[in-house]
Amino acid sequence: MKKNLHPEYRPVVFRDPSVDFAFLTRSTMISDKTIEWTDGRTYPVVDVDVSAQSHPFYTGRGRVLDTEGRVERFNQRYGRK
């Protein structure tokens, strides 16, 4: 593999501030912000808008907006009778 071609692969903390959830993994993401992790080391931190802890699909807080379905509703309005 060529040297200085690929970005550095290092530990990075991804944080979802809306639910106060963070996890440590490896990534090539770059960030100016840092955070002290539970092991006492300082890592770069990347804030994300949605994570598995805040997304309605994973939390079960989703809601069904249309129980009949779009096709049935269209047929009721404009379909043959």
Side-chain angles (χ1 to χ4, degrees):
M1 194 171 359
K2 291 182 180 179
K3 294 187 184 236
N4 300 325
L5 181 66
H6 298 282
E8 181 184 357
Y9 189 63
R10 60 189 174 161
V12 176
V13 174
F14 287 91
R15 177 175 59 187
D16 185 351
S18 64
V19 290
D20 196 32
F21 173 71
F23 61 94
L24 177 66
T25 188
R26 295 180 61 83
S27 177
T28 58
M29 293 286 293
I30 298 170
S31 177
D32 295 333
K33 299 180 198 174
T34 59
I35 189 172
E36 186 172 334
W37 195 242
T38 56
D39 62 2
R41 295 183 182 177
T42 302
Y43 297 104
V45 63
V46 176
D47 289 329
V48 294
D49 294 331
V50 178
S51 69
Q53 297 297 316
S54 64
H55 193 281
F57 178 80
Y58 296 109
T59 59
R61 288 183 282 159
R63 55 188 176 153
V64 179
L65 298 176
D66 185 18
T67 57
E68 293 182 15
R70 292 181 182 193
V71 174
E72 289 83 5
R73 193 170 53 180
F74 177 84
N75 287 335
Q76 282 180 350
R77 288 184 185 171
Y78 308 108
R80 295 184 203 139
K81 296 190 182 195

